[in-house]
Amino acid sequence: MTHTTDPAFEADRNEEQATGGGRRRRAKGAKAAGAEHSKAERARDAEHTREGTAKRGKGVHRRKFLGGMAGVGLGAVAAAGSTFALLTDAKGNKAGAATNTATLNIPDLLEGTTSDSTTTYTLEAKTGTAEVLSGVTSTTAGYNQSFLGPTMKWTKGDTVLLNITNSLGEDTTVHFHGAHVPAKMDGGPQVAFSDGETWAPTFTVKDDPTTLWYHPHALGTTAKQAVHGLAGMIIVDDSDNTTSAALPSTYGTDDIPLIFQSLAVDAAGDIKYDVTGYLAATSFPLLVNGTNVDDTTLTFTATKTRTRFRLLNASPSDIIVIQRSDGGTMTQIATDQGYLAEAADVTTIRLVAGARAEMVMDMSDDVTLQAVITTGWIRGGSGTYDFLAVTASGTDTPSDLPSSLRTIDRYDTSDFTARTITLGNSGGTMLIDGKAGTSMDSMTMISTTLGSKEIWTIKNSTQLEHSFHLHDVPYQLISINGADPTGVQLGWYDTYEVVGGGSIVIAMEFTDFSDDTYMYMLHCHLLQHEDEGMMASLMVTDS
């Protein structure tokens, strides 16, 4: 059976509109909070209608500089004054067909040093320069390099130590997104460290095989630091896992990381991260593993018939849908938190900000992968990109995929502790349960105990897009806008979409770690919303 990873929405809640290559979802009947929002929606809808009549051809790249108003504090837009005119400027600022090709860049695999059963990895967060726009130098940041960071490969059961030096000139943290680690080692805002200092978290890897990532998480600076390039992938392996043994696993050969960043940049190359910057930005390039694919299609030669792709949406806010240009299927094998119960043939893989997925393709013919970008915030990317042309050159015949990838026991939530968590806003200030988490003291704090099993209703009281991320433990989706999860939605997650006016119900169990001082976080992973206050703390104690 062929599934899609697009969220299941009830017909009377939402309408879908084709946009010539991607799809935009808007809460049906939703009222804008201000006149500016309505004006921008009308202008955007008119542009989508005009472009929706054009047939999408293979190899055609479209970049629209008209942004949506999907996720900003609307009062901030009204305050932008004359700059708002940029939102309705439809002067044909679009990239033409791709005329260039470049070899896909594979991030370096960071080598660790093992001594006394502990593997040590060394990272330095530092500034640099890179070309985010072709021919234009941007000030950037990265781990051990000028932009982005190396991939770390951890093994379940190993003890790791990370020596992370801050050379940014301002406070930072490094959060291990999706990792099940002690709160003190999680990299949240409580452990921010200053320029010139080295933070050295150490823990035993408890995660099952999965794709994680690392990025900053200090209060008020997460968007700024992440958009400038502070992000990298983490692969968790398990030498005893039979599914992993049956899947492609040679990094850079048949196990390929794909890190997507839809950014905002002005003509001088300055990378933007806040409302003022986004309103002033003149382009919204898409980068894959650090390379701009606006007018360049990356190339990769698959020397094995079966190739595994690890997908990470490291964008601050935009939504990315991965598909094949020929409309064919991909075999999804994992969500945020590891393997599905069984492989699923999908035609699209939808990634909100912060989300990951894994898929494999068995290729006897060449395949082109596309990314469809949808604005997630005030303004941003839009369009369809042939970002990767894969040349099939494998001559081997891979074995059948395992019929079962893992066992996922669905929760019986009848005796779970229930909570309702409300995502809201007041103008440009983002709220969780009515409080803005712009400081540790001001944010809502949720307290639970080790061993607790809970079911949360995450209610979006705004008409803005949100991406709900929970630190510490994975969760199961119990319902999505009132509908039961199906297909790949039955996997494990740590980041999931909550549409305007919608809700998700999730269930989780708090295991292994407790602390009466250090807290985990729960927040919107639209990084601007996080910085604007949509973050709460989670304290897990012994009793």
Side-chain angles (χ1 to χ4, degrees):
M1 180 177 293
T2 298
H3 303 282
T4 175
T5 57
D6 285 358
F9 302 134
E10 295 182 16
D12 63 346
R13 290 178 183 241
N14 294 278
E15 58 187 354
E16 296 188 0
Q17 298 179 342
T19 60
R23 283 184 285 178
R24 178 178 58 80
R25 290 182 170 79
R26 179 161 56 92
K28 188 174 183 180
K31 294 182 179 179
E36 291 81 1
H37 190 200
S38 299
K39 180 179 178 182
E41 285 284 349
R42 289 194 298 270
R44 185 180 66 186
D45 290 347
E47 179 73 4
H48 281 311
T49 299
R50 287 191 295 270
E51 291 205 338
T53 60
K55 183 178 181 181
R56 171 169 52 88
K58 183 176 180 181
V60 175
H61 292 235
R62 267 200 325 267
R63 175 51 96 197
K64 296 198 304 144
F65 296 95
L66 175 66
M69 297 294 292
V72 72
L74 298 169
V77 175
S82 61
T83 311
F84 178 77
L86 289 170
L87 291 173
T88 55
D89 175 15
K91 295 181 179 178
N93 294 324
K94 303 176 182 69
T99 56
N100 303 310
T101 60
T103 302
L104 175 69
N105 173 57
I106 305 295
D108 291 340
L109 191 62
L110 184 63
E111 296 294 334
T113 302
T114 301
S115 177
D116 297 329
S117 301
T118 297
T119 302
T120 301
Y121 298 91
T122 300
L123 291 170
E124 180 186 10
K126 61 182 183 178
T127 58
T129 60
E131 285 192 8
V132 175
L133 296 178
S134 180
V136 180
T137 299
S138 295
T139 298
T140 58
Y143 296 105
N144 294 0
Q145 56 197 40
S146 293
F147 192 66
L148 294 179
T151 298
M152 288 189 285
K153 197 167 187 177
W154 300 345
T155 301
K156 184 177 181 179
D158 284 0
T159 299
V160 299
L161 168 67
L162 295 103
N163 288 322
I164 307 172
T165 300
N166 179 2
S167 300
L168 296 173
E170 62 183 15
D171 289 0
T172 194
T173 69
V174 179
H175 168 52
F176 310 112
H177 184 125
H180 180 48
V181 297
K184 188 176 181 179
M185 309 299 174
D186 183 57
Q190 276 185 293
V191 297
F193 56 107
S194 302
D195 179 59
E197 293 185 352
T198 297
W199 181 51
T202 184
F203 47 84
T204 298
V205 178
K206 290 183 173 292
D207 302 281
D208 289 325
T210 189
T211 299
L212 311 175
W213 65 301
Y214 60 102
H215 62 79
H217 209 309
L219 284 171
T221 60
T222 299
K224 174 186 174 184
Q225 293 183 0
V227 302
H228 282 85
L230 288 171
M233 188 174 283
I234 301 169
I235 295 172
V236 179
D237 202 358
D238 182 354
S239 56
D240 295 327
N241 187 284
T242 56
T243 295
S244 294
L247 289 169
S249 59
T250 304
Y251 183 79
T253 299
D254 59 5
D255 189 351
I256 309 301
L258 295 174
I259 301 173
F260 300 89
Q261 298 166 286
S262 182
L263 302 178
V265 187
D266 69 14
D270 188 25
I271 304 172
K272 306 299 184 180
Y273 58 89
D274 59 10
V275 173
T276 302
Y278 262 65
L279 291 176
T282 56
S283 62
F284 297 88
L286 174 65
L287 279 65
V288 178
N289 290 358
T291 302
N292 186 323
V293 297
D294 279 13
D295 57 5
T296 298
T297 298
L298 302 175
T299 62
F300 175 75
T301 299
T303 57
K304 298 290 186 179
T305 300
R306 177 175 294 155
T307 300
R308 176 184 195 167
F309 295 93
R310 298 176 185 264
L311 314 174
L312 160 62
N313 184 358
S315 305
S317 54
D318 287 348
I319 301 162
I320 299 178
V321 175
I322 306 303
Q323 61 189 26
R324 290 172 53 150
S325 65
D326 60 5
T329 61
M330 305 163 289
T331 301
Q332 186 168 346
I333 58 172
T335 51
D336 290 339
Q337 283 287 321
Y339 297 134
L340 295 164
E342 60 184 18
D345 287 334
V346 300
T347 55
T348 61
I349 297 177
R350 182 180 176 89
L351 301 172
V352 292
R356 291 91 61 215
E358 297 177 34
M359 61 92 163
V360 297
M361 291 191 298
D362 289 359
M363 291 171 289
S364 56
D365 297 310
D366 298 349
V367 172
T368 296
L369 293 177
Q370 293 181 328
V372 182
I373 314 301
T374 307
T375 300
W377 193 48
I378 174 177
R379 192 170 181 240
S382 182
T384 299
Y385 298 83
D386 290 347
F387 72 88
L388 184 63
V390 183
T391 299
S393 68
T395 58
D396 59 312
T397 302
S399 301
D400 291 341
L401 288 171
S403 57
S404 174
L405 302 179
R406 78 188 299 185
T407 299
I408 298 179
D409 295 321
R410 296 290 295 173
Y411 285 133
D412 174 359
T413 61
S414 56
D415 61 351
F416 279 32
T417 299
R419 302 180 191 265
T420 297
I421 296 170
T422 302
L423 310 179
N425 75 293
S426 176
T429 300
M430 298 291 132
L431 310 170
I432 292 185
D433 288 346
K435 293 184 179 182
T438 52
S439 70
M440 293 303 299
D441 292 335
S442 67
M443 66 181 63
T444 295
M445 187 176 79
I446 295 172
S447 297
T448 190
T449 56
L450 188 64
S452 177
K453 299 178 180 181
E454 305 204 2
I455 180 169
W456 296 0
T457 298
I458 313 300
K459 181 180 178 181
N460 186 352
S461 67
T462 77
Q463 293 303 328
L464 315 176
E465 175 79 18
H466 299 305
S467 173
F468 184 79
H469 174 49
L470 174 64
H471 292 208
D472 183 25
V473 293
Y475 55 74
Q476 291 181 1
L477 293 162
I478 305 303
S479 73
I480 305 163
N481 301 311
D484 292 338
T486 60
V488 301
Q489 296 166 339
L490 296 171
W492 289 98
Y493 290 86
D494 57 59
T495 307
Y496 204 80
E497 182 174 16
V498 193
V499 299
S503 65
I504 60 174
V505 180
I506 62 176
M508 75 294 294
E509 181 178 3
F510 295 99
T511 60
D512 297 312
F513 305 120
S514 63
D515 199 305
D516 57 8
T517 301
Y518 290 92
M519 292 171 278
Y520 298 103
M521 298 288 112
L522 52 112
H523 59 90
C524 177
H525 217 280
L526 273 70
L527 299 183
Q528 294 90 349
H529 285 179
E530 175 185 333
D531 286 346
E532 291 165 349
M534 193 167 281
M535 183 160 59
S537 58
L538 170 68
M539 179 74 82
V540 183
T541 60
D542 280 329
S543 59

